Amino acid sequence: MANLQIANARKSYDNKQVLHGIDLHIEDGTFLVIVGPSGCGKSTLLRMIAGLEDITDGTISIDDEVVNDLEPSARGCAMVFQNYALYPHMSVEQNIGYPLKIAGVSKPERARKVAEAAALLELGDYLDRRPAQLSGGQRQRVAMGRAIVREPRLFLFDEPLSNLDAKLRVQMRIEIKRLHRRLSATSVFVTHDQVEAMTLADKLVVMNAGKVEQVGTPGEIYRAPASAFVAGFLGAPAMNFLPGKVLQQGNLHILPNTEIAVHSQELHQWTGREITIGIRPESLLLGKPSAEGIPAHVDLIEELGGSRVAYCRTDGPEIAVVMHGDLTVREGDRVSIGLLPEHLHFFEKTNGQRLGGGQASQQAQASRAMHVAFN
Amino acid sequence: MSTAALQPVLARPIRRSVRRIGLSAELLPWLYILPAVLAFGVWIYEPLIRAFMLSFYEWNMLPFSPQKWVGTQNYSNIFALQKLWQALGNTAIYVVGLLPMSVAIPLAVAIFTHDLKGRWRNFYRALIFVPMIIAPVVAAAVWRWLLDPQHGILNLALQGLGIAPIDFLGDPNFAIWTIILITGWKLIGFATLILSAANANINPSLIEAARMDGASSWEIVRDIRLPLLSSTALFLVMMTILLGAQWSFTYINVLTAGGPLGSTTNIYYLLWDFGFSSMSVGWSSAAAVVLFVGFSVIAFGLFRMIERYSFYDN
Ligand SMILES: Nc1ncnc2c1ncn2[C@@H]1O[C@H](COP(=O)(O)OP(=O)(O)O)[C@@H](O)[C@H]1O
Ligand SMILES: [Mg+2]
């Protein structure tokens, strides 16, 4: 187990910079998840930690030791690859035992440790098989076994679940979580799947285009996204964004033709300016057409089993609303979308940065304060 | 005429006629492979059977001269020939002598040039692949010049070093190794190409996984690359055993004609010699049958081994 410190890490390929100064601190035993869209540089960052990719600039330290120039093997990291990267010519037992063999562990000791890892991962019956004779989930477990058997300081996962079918993915996700609780090893887990990210992370890092957008617990980030990008990336269905304008006395004009009272101190300094208003589909309410709320008509209803999502046409952008309970709304109905001021998120129109605190972010600050107090 | 009317008219009789050929569902697949079967039959199996039959006859290949049944006499005759045993022994020397150049060196080159970049990569490729694209007879002629005992550049160089000139192609102690080296020189590019392709096909994340597991460069070669290249290497071993004698044919034919004193002949050259120089078709066919049976057994064993060492990575 170890802590990991990344300071101003940069990466360029042929003068094209793909990581623009990443700063991260990961405490001992934390399960850190890096989430972001495809191509944002998650794998590159992970591979730089692993030592598979050179660090163009900045430093990466494990346990306060700079590892920039260390070989992968000297860094004490174990990695689980997206395609598992199991040695096709070795049995499950040999695959799991390979790092130990290389480390010169004696045969009986090796067999004992492999058996231990295999038992933990329920692979005991498959030790003699080759990877080609295993199912996707079993291969995934073998890859994990190979990682845990050498008791690394740091676990690195590069989208390890994305080659599995939906059901197995959920199952393996839970197993990984359980495994982490049991081993409490510092882990860095990369994914583009927001559900995976939210459910697994102790600490979540949202990346975009080679930069860190936000770091925090999944709850903090969900409640107070630091930018419109983060807000739109996490949560399904995605957050609605509406253009708006700040009026006198903290009133808000939602374009084109809705006005609500917000009474937000933070908005005062933005009086007269245009902003972006974000609101999650589950924070909206559908009601009978009325003067309150945003007038709309229901274009399409998506049935999700537990809930339904209504996609509504307004005079502005389309708005998605999660419908609760047994609301009897049909496609084509005229409705009014009601919103509560405390559920609104405000972003700068130009760069998407979050404006002021808002209730959600006060909570976040409170929890951060508690974190400090506990330490 | 409307096409709508035409279509059913066309479609129906064809379908019916297929049905009339009958049992069509069972027969149709055979129909599809018929061209291939015919080609194999005419150019491979028919000559094979013909050779097998001719090996029991005495015949001088002249169309109007009679073929005389001699039973297994051709076999006992050729096995009694010292020449045949010399050719068989030489064939083994050819195979063993070629293996380093058809497998071992290409394997090493493929592995160690894998990470080369840019100019060096092109340089080594040119070096390795140029022999491959030179016509064999041309190569043989050039080698004859280079190896000439009096005026060849190699012997001039040796003389410069104070070593007496060597008759590379005329000295029975050197000739077979000279032919082997020329054959191998021609072969090395092809083998390297095949092994490089197989090597490049190894999933790079396997190598990365091994690096993460702490394996050194040599351990990666030993534990990952070599095992995953073993089926391709075995394939090349098989090719060398089965075809080594044939690959050297051009150089034997052009440079030594099997000599001096039969020291460069091999089984393949010998059976050609029986047939087309001595005009004894029976002997040639008998030698061909022996060759075929012997190599079939070897090929069968090698195929089993290749199967065993093929690992499918998915
Ligand atoms: N070997 C490479 N050479 C050049 N560009 C690369 C290389 N690897 C990755 N990139 C670029 O770096 C960016 C980040 O890639 P990556 O880290 O794989 O993204 P992610 O894992 O988040 O999908 C991408 O724009 C990609 O095109
Ligand atoms: Mg990636």
Side-chain angles (χ1 to χ4, degrees), chain A residues 280-327:
Chain A
R280 296 210 179 270
E282 56 269 36
S283 310
L284 290 164
L285 296 165
L286 283 190
K288 296 242 154 56
S290 73
E292 307 275 303
I294 303 170
H297 82 267
V298 179
D299 187 36
L300 190 97
I301 293 178
E302 223 176 37
E303 181 67 60
L304 297 177
S307 65
R308 286 173 299 161
V309 184
Y311 293 92
C312 305
R313 282 256 172 86
T314 69
D315 294 333
E318 184 183 73
I319 298 178
V321 182
V322 173
M323 298 194 287
H324 305 280
D326 42 8
L327 197 63

Short mmCIF file of all heavy atoms in Angstrom, two decimals, chain A residues 280-327:
data_model
loop_
_atom_site.label_atom_id
_atom_site.label_comp_id
_atom_site.label_asym_id
_atom_site.label_seq_id
_atom_site.Cartn_x
_atom_site.Cartn_y
_atom_site.Cartn_z
N ARG A 280 -30.72 18.95 -13.18
CA ARG A 280 -30.77 17.52 -13.44
C ARG A 280 -32.20 17.08 -13.73
O ARG A 280 -33.15 17.59 -13.12
CB ARG A 280 -30.23 16.75 -12.25
CG ARG A 280 -28.76 17.03 -11.99
CD ARG A 280 -28.05 15.87 -11.37
NE ARG A 280 -26.65 16.19 -11.18
CZ ARG A 280 -25.70 15.96 -12.08
NH1 ARG A 280 -26.01 15.41 -13.24
NH2 ARG A 280 -24.44 16.28 -11.83
N PRO A 281 -32.37 16.13 -14.62
CA PRO A 281 -33.71 15.67 -14.98
C PRO A 281 -34.50 15.19 -13.78
O PRO A 281 -35.72 15.33 -13.75
CB PRO A 281 -33.43 14.50 -15.95
CG PRO A 281 -32.10 14.81 -16.52
CD PRO A 281 -31.33 15.50 -15.44
N GLU A 282 -33.81 14.65 -12.76
CA GLU A 282 -34.56 14.13 -11.61
C GLU A 282 -34.97 15.24 -10.64
O GLU A 282 -35.71 15.00 -9.70
CB GLU A 282 -33.78 13.03 -10.89
CG GLU A 282 -32.40 13.41 -10.40
CD GLU A 282 -31.32 13.11 -11.42
OE1 GLU A 282 -31.58 13.26 -12.64
OE2 GLU A 282 -30.21 12.74 -11.01
N SER A 283 -34.48 16.47 -10.86
CA SER A 283 -34.86 17.58 -9.99
C SER A 283 -36.01 18.39 -10.56
O SER A 283 -36.40 19.39 -10.00
CB SER A 283 -33.67 18.52 -9.78
OG SER A 283 -32.54 17.80 -9.40
N LEU A 284 -36.52 17.96 -11.69
CA LEU A 284 -37.60 18.70 -12.33
C LEU A 284 -38.94 18.01 -12.05
O LEU A 284 -38.99 16.82 -11.77
CB LEU A 284 -37.37 18.77 -13.84
CG LEU A 284 -36.20 19.66 -14.28
CD1 LEU A 284 -35.83 19.36 -15.72
CD2 LEU A 284 -36.59 21.13 -14.12
N LEU A 285 -40.01 18.81 -12.11
CA LEU A 285 -41.34 18.26 -11.88
C LEU A 285 -42.22 18.60 -13.07
O LEU A 285 -42.19 19.71 -13.58
CB LEU A 285 -41.94 18.87 -10.61
CG LEU A 285 -41.20 18.55 -9.32
CD1 LEU A 285 -41.67 19.49 -8.21
CD2 LEU A 285 -41.42 17.09 -8.94
N LEU A 286 -43.01 17.61 -13.49
CA LEU A 286 -43.97 17.88 -14.55
C LEU A 286 -45.32 18.19 -13.92
O LEU A 286 -45.73 17.53 -12.96
CB LEU A 286 -44.12 16.66 -15.46
CG LEU A 286 -43.02 16.40 -16.47
CD1 LEU A 286 -43.46 15.31 -17.43
CD2 LEU A 286 -42.65 17.66 -17.23
N GLY A 287 -46.01 19.21 -14.43
CA GLY A 287 -47.33 19.53 -13.90
C GLY A 287 -48.26 19.95 -15.02
O GLY A 287 -47.87 20.01 -16.18
N LYS A 288 -49.52 20.21 -14.61
CA LYS A 288 -50.50 20.73 -15.57
C LYS A 288 -50.00 22.05 -16.11
O LYS A 288 -49.28 22.78 -15.42
CB LYS A 288 -51.84 20.94 -14.85
CG LYS A 288 -52.45 19.65 -14.34
CD LYS A 288 -53.80 19.40 -15.02
CE LYS A 288 -54.13 17.93 -15.05
NZ LYS A 288 -54.13 17.31 -13.71
N PRO A 289 -50.37 22.40 -17.33
CA PRO A 289 -49.95 23.69 -17.87
C PRO A 289 -50.37 24.81 -16.94
O PRO A 289 -51.49 24.81 -16.44
CB PRO A 289 -50.70 23.78 -19.20
CG PRO A 289 -51.05 22.39 -19.54
CD PRO A 289 -51.18 21.63 -18.27
N SER A 290 -49.44 25.71 -16.62
CA SER A 290 -49.77 26.82 -15.73
C SER A 290 -48.82 27.97 -16.02
O SER A 290 -47.88 27.82 -16.79
CB SER A 290 -49.64 26.40 -14.26
OG SER A 290 -48.26 26.29 -13.94
N ALA A 291 -49.06 29.08 -15.36
CA ALA A 291 -48.22 30.24 -15.58
C ALA A 291 -46.83 30.04 -14.98
O ALA A 291 -45.85 30.59 -15.43
CB ALA A 291 -48.86 31.49 -14.99
N GLU A 292 -46.79 29.21 -13.90
CA GLU A 292 -45.51 28.89 -13.28
C GLU A 292 -44.75 27.92 -14.18
O GLU A 292 -45.35 27.17 -14.94
CB GLU A 292 -45.74 28.21 -11.92
CG GLU A 292 -46.64 28.96 -10.98
CD GLU A 292 -45.87 30.00 -10.19
OE1 GLU A 292 -44.90 29.59 -9.52
OE2 GLU A 292 -46.21 31.20 -10.28
N GLY A 293 -43.44 27.87 -14.06
CA GLY A 293 -42.66 26.86 -14.77
C GLY A 293 -42.52 27.13 -16.25
O GLY A 293 -42.98 28.14 -16.79
N ILE A 294 -41.86 26.21 -16.88
CA ILE A 294 -41.56 26.37 -18.30
C ILE A 294 -42.61 25.62 -19.11
O ILE A 294 -42.81 24.42 -18.93
CB ILE A 294 -40.17 25.78 -18.62
CG1 ILE A 294 -39.10 26.46 -17.74
CG2 ILE A 294 -39.84 25.92 -20.10
CD1 ILE A 294 -37.75 25.81 -17.80
N PRO A 295 -43.31 26.31 -20.01
CA PRO A 295 -44.32 25.63 -20.82
C PRO A 295 -43.65 24.68 -21.81
O PRO A 295 -42.61 25.00 -22.38
CB PRO A 295 -45.03 26.77 -21.54
CG PRO A 295 -44.05 27.90 -21.55
CD PRO A 295 -43.19 27.75 -20.33
N ALA A 296 -44.24 23.50 -21.97
CA ALA A 296 -43.62 22.51 -22.85
C ALA A 296 -44.66 21.51 -23.31
O ALA A 296 -45.76 21.47 -22.77
CB ALA A 296 -42.51 21.78 -22.10
N HIS A 297 -44.31 20.71 -24.31
CA HIS A 297 -45.14 19.54 -24.56
C HIS A 297 -44.26 18.31 -24.69
O HIS A 297 -43.11 18.37 -25.14
CB HIS A 297 -46.09 19.74 -25.75
CG HIS A 297 -45.48 19.52 -27.08
ND1 HIS A 297 -44.93 20.54 -27.82
CD2 HIS A 297 -45.35 18.38 -27.80
CE1 HIS A 297 -44.48 20.03 -28.94
NE2 HIS A 297 -44.70 18.74 -28.97
N VAL A 298 -44.83 17.19 -24.21
CA VAL A 298 -44.04 15.97 -24.11
C VAL A 298 -43.86 15.37 -25.50
O VAL A 298 -44.82 15.04 -26.17
CB VAL A 298 -44.73 14.95 -23.17
CG1 VAL A 298 -43.91 13.68 -23.08
CG2 VAL A 298 -44.92 15.57 -21.81
N ASP A 299 -42.61 15.23 -25.90
CA ASP A 299 -42.32 14.74 -27.25
C ASP A 299 -42.19 13.23 -27.24
O ASP A 299 -42.67 12.54 -28.13
CB ASP A 299 -41.00 15.39 -27.70
CG ASP A 299 -40.70 15.08 -29.15
OD1 ASP A 299 -41.66 15.01 -29.94
OD2 ASP A 299 -39.52 14.89 -29.47
N LEU A 300 -41.52 12.70 -26.21
CA LEU A 300 -41.18 11.28 -26.21
C LEU A 300 -41.04 10.82 -24.77
O LEU A 300 -40.51 11.56 -23.94
CB LEU A 300 -39.84 11.10 -26.93
CG LEU A 300 -39.42 9.69 -27.24
CD1 LEU A 300 -39.82 9.39 -28.68
CD2 LEU A 300 -37.94 9.52 -27.07
N ILE A 301 -41.51 9.62 -24.49
CA ILE A 301 -41.33 9.08 -23.13
C ILE A 301 -40.51 7.80 -23.22
O ILE A 301 -40.81 6.91 -24.02
CB ILE A 301 -42.68 8.81 -22.44
CG1 ILE A 301 -43.40 10.14 -22.19
CG2 ILE A 301 -42.48 8.07 -21.12
CD1 ILE A 301 -44.76 10.01 -21.56
N GLU A 302 -39.47 7.73 -22.40
CA GLU A 302 -38.60 6.56 -22.39
C GLU A 302 -38.91 5.76 -21.14
O GLU A 302 -38.84 6.30 -20.04
CB GLU A 302 -37.15 7.04 -22.35
CG GLU A 302 -36.22 6.29 -23.25
CD GLU A 302 -34.82 6.90 -23.20
OE1 GLU A 302 -34.38 7.33 -22.12
OE2 GLU A 302 -34.18 6.94 -24.25
N GLU A 303 -39.23 4.50 -21.32
CA GLU A 303 -39.58 3.65 -20.18
C GLU A 303 -38.31 2.97 -19.67
O GLU A 303 -37.62 2.28 -20.41
CB GLU A 303 -40.59 2.60 -20.64
CG GLU A 303 -41.06 1.65 -19.56
CD GLU A 303 -41.89 2.36 -18.51
OE1 GLU A 303 -42.95 2.94 -18.85
OE2 GLU A 303 -41.48 2.34 -17.35
N LEU A 304 -37.96 3.19 -18.40
CA LEU A 304 -36.77 2.56 -17.86
C LEU A 304 -37.12 1.50 -16.83
O LEU A 304 -36.27 1.00 -16.11
CB LEU A 304 -35.85 3.60 -17.21
CG LEU A 304 -35.30 4.67 -18.14
CD1 LEU A 304 -34.48 5.68 -17.36
CD2 LEU A 304 -34.47 4.07 -19.25
N GLY A 305 -38.38 1.15 -16.74
CA GLY A 305 -38.80 0.16 -15.75
C GLY A 305 -39.12 0.84 -14.44
O GLY A 305 -40.27 1.10 -14.12
N GLY A 306 -38.09 1.17 -13.68
CA GLY A 306 -38.30 1.82 -12.39
C GLY A 306 -38.80 3.25 -12.54
O GLY A 306 -39.53 3.75 -11.69
N SER A 307 -38.41 3.90 -13.58
CA SER A 307 -38.84 5.28 -13.79
C SER A 307 -39.02 5.51 -15.28
O SER A 307 -38.73 4.64 -16.10
CB SER A 307 -37.79 6.25 -13.23
OG SER A 307 -36.59 6.11 -13.96
N ARG A 308 -39.50 6.69 -15.60
CA ARG A 308 -39.65 7.04 -17.01
C ARG A 308 -39.04 8.41 -17.23
O ARG A 308 -39.02 9.23 -16.32
CB ARG A 308 -41.14 7.07 -17.38
CG ARG A 308 -41.74 5.67 -17.49
CD ARG A 308 -43.23 5.75 -17.70
NE ARG A 308 -43.88 6.41 -16.58
CZ ARG A 308 -45.11 6.93 -16.64
NH1 ARG A 308 -45.81 6.87 -17.76
NH2 ARG A 308 -45.63 7.53 -15.59
N VAL A 309 -38.53 8.61 -18.42
CA VAL A 309 -37.95 9.91 -18.75
C VAL A 309 -38.79 10.55 -19.85
O VAL A 309 -39.02 9.93 -20.88
CB VAL A 309 -36.50 9.77 -19.24
CG1 VAL A 309 -35.89 11.14 -19.47
CG2 VAL A 309 -35.67 8.98 -18.24
N ALA A 310 -39.22 11.77 -19.58
CA ALA A 310 -39.97 12.50 -20.60
C ALA A 310 -39.05 13.51 -21.27
O ALA A 310 -38.36 14.26 -20.58
CB ALA A 310 -41.15 13.21 -19.96
N TYR A 311 -39.00 13.47 -22.57
CA TYR A 311 -38.23 14.46 -23.32
C TYR A 311 -39.20 15.51 -23.83
O TYR A 311 -40.12 15.19 -24.59
CB TYR A 311 -37.46 13.80 -24.46
CG TYR A 311 -36.38 12.88 -23.93
CD1 TYR A 311 -36.65 11.53 -23.72
CD2 TYR A 311 -35.12 13.38 -23.62
CE1 TYR A 311 -35.68 10.69 -23.20
CE2 TYR A 311 -34.14 12.54 -23.11
CZ TYR A 311 -34.43 11.21 -22.90
OH TYR A 311 -33.45 10.38 -22.38
N CYS A 312 -39.02 16.75 -23.34
CA CYS A 312 -40.03 17.78 -23.58
C CYS A 312 -39.51 18.86 -24.51
O CYS A 312 -38.39 19.33 -24.36
CB CYS A 312 -40.44 18.43 -22.25
SG CYS A 312 -40.98 17.24 -21.04
N ARG A 313 -40.40 19.26 -25.43
CA ARG A 313 -40.11 20.39 -26.31
C ARG A 313 -40.49 21.67 -25.60
O ARG A 313 -41.58 21.76 -25.04
CB ARG A 313 -40.96 20.28 -27.58
CG ARG A 313 -40.44 19.29 -28.55
CD ARG A 313 -39.75 19.99 -29.73
NE ARG A 313 -39.09 18.98 -30.55
CZ ARG A 313 -39.74 18.33 -31.51
NH1 ARG A 313 -40.98 18.62 -31.81
NH2 ARG A 313 -39.11 17.39 -32.20
N THR A 314 -39.58 22.63 -25.63
CA THR A 314 -39.94 23.94 -25.09
C THR A 314 -39.63 24.96 -26.18
O THR A 314 -39.18 24.60 -27.26
CB THR A 314 -39.10 24.29 -23.85
OG1 THR A 314 -37.75 24.49 -24.27
CG2 THR A 314 -39.14 23.19 -22.82
N ASP A 315 -39.81 26.23 -25.84
CA ASP A 315 -39.42 27.26 -26.81
C ASP A 315 -37.91 27.37 -26.88
O ASP A 315 -37.36 27.86 -27.85
CB ASP A 315 -40.04 28.61 -26.41
CG ASP A 315 -41.56 28.56 -26.52
OD1 ASP A 315 -42.05 27.76 -27.35
OD2 ASP A 315 -42.24 29.28 -25.77
N GLY A 316 -37.24 26.89 -25.84
CA GLY A 316 -35.78 26.85 -25.84
C GLY A 316 -35.30 25.45 -26.17
O GLY A 316 -35.89 24.77 -27.02
N PRO A 317 -34.24 24.97 -25.50
CA PRO A 317 -33.72 23.63 -25.78
C PRO A 317 -34.64 22.54 -25.24
O PRO A 317 -35.51 22.81 -24.41
CB PRO A 317 -32.38 23.61 -25.04
CG PRO A 317 -32.34 24.80 -24.17
CD PRO A 317 -33.45 25.71 -24.52
N GLU A 318 -34.46 21.32 -25.72
CA GLU A 318 -35.21 20.18 -25.22
C GLU A 318 -34.84 19.93 -23.76
O GLU A 318 -33.69 20.10 -23.38
CB GLU A 318 -34.88 18.95 -26.06
CG GLU A 318 -35.69 17.73 -25.68
CD GLU A 318 -35.27 16.51 -26.48
OE1 GLU A 318 -34.18 15.97 -26.19
OE2 GLU A 318 -36.02 16.12 -27.39
N ILE A 319 -35.81 19.53 -22.96
CA ILE A 319 -35.55 19.28 -21.53
C ILE A 319 -35.99 17.86 -21.19
O ILE A 319 -37.10 17.45 -21.54
CB ILE A 319 -36.31 20.29 -20.65
CG1 ILE A 319 -35.83 21.71 -20.95
CG2 ILE A 319 -36.13 19.97 -19.17
CD1 ILE A 319 -36.56 22.79 -20.17
N ALA A 320 -35.09 17.12 -20.53
CA ALA A 320 -35.43 15.78 -20.08
C ALA A 320 -35.89 15.85 -18.64
O ALA A 320 -35.30 16.55 -17.82
CB ALA A 320 -34.21 14.87 -20.19
N VAL A 321 -36.96 15.13 -18.32
CA VAL A 321 -37.50 15.13 -16.97
C VAL A 321 -37.71 13.68 -16.53
O VAL A 321 -38.30 12.90 -17.27
CB VAL A 321 -38.87 15.86 -16.91
CG1 VAL A 321 -39.39 15.89 -15.48
CG2 VAL A 321 -38.75 17.27 -17.48
N VAL A 322 -37.19 13.33 -15.36
CA VAL A 322 -37.47 12.00 -14.83
C VAL A 322 -38.81 12.07 -14.13
O VAL A 322 -39.03 12.92 -13.25
CB VAL A 322 -36.37 11.56 -13.85
CG1 VAL A 322 -36.77 10.25 -13.16
CG2 VAL A 322 -35.06 11.38 -14.58
N MET A 323 -39.73 11.18 -14.52
CA MET A 323 -41.07 11.21 -13.94
C MET A 323 -41.13 10.21 -12.80
O MET A 323 -40.72 9.06 -12.93
CB MET A 323 -42.10 10.86 -15.00
CG MET A 323 -42.12 11.86 -16.14
SD MET A 323 -43.58 11.67 -17.13
CE MET A 323 -43.20 10.17 -17.99
N HIS A 324 -41.60 10.68 -11.69
CA HIS A 324 -41.68 9.82 -10.51
C HIS A 324 -43.06 9.23 -10.38
O HIS A 324 -44.04 9.80 -10.86
CB HIS A 324 -41.37 10.63 -9.25
CG HIS A 324 -40.04 11.33 -9.34
ND1 HIS A 324 -38.86 10.70 -9.11
CD2 HIS A 324 -39.73 12.61 -9.69
CE1 HIS A 324 -37.87 11.56 -9.29
NE2 HIS A 324 -38.38 12.73 -9.65
N GLY A 325 -43.13 8.11 -9.72
CA GLY A 325 -44.41 7.50 -9.37
C GLY A 325 -45.28 7.23 -10.57
O GLY A 325 -44.81 6.90 -11.65
N ASP A 326 -46.57 7.40 -10.36
CA ASP A 326 -47.52 6.99 -11.40
C ASP A 326 -48.10 8.18 -12.14
O ASP A 326 -49.27 8.24 -12.45
CB ASP A 326 -48.64 6.16 -10.76
CG ASP A 326 -49.09 6.79 -9.46
OD1 ASP A 326 -48.61 7.91 -9.16
OD2 ASP A 326 -49.88 6.17 -8.74
N LEU A 327 -47.28 9.17 -12.35
CA LEU A 327 -47.70 10.36 -13.08
C LEU A 327 -48.27 9.94 -14.44
O LEU A 327 -47.63 9.23 -15.19
CB LEU A 327 -46.47 11.25 -13.28
CG LEU A 327 -46.70 12.70 -13.65
CD1 LEU A 327 -47.45 13.43 -12.54
CD2 LEU A 327 -45.36 13.37 -13.91
#
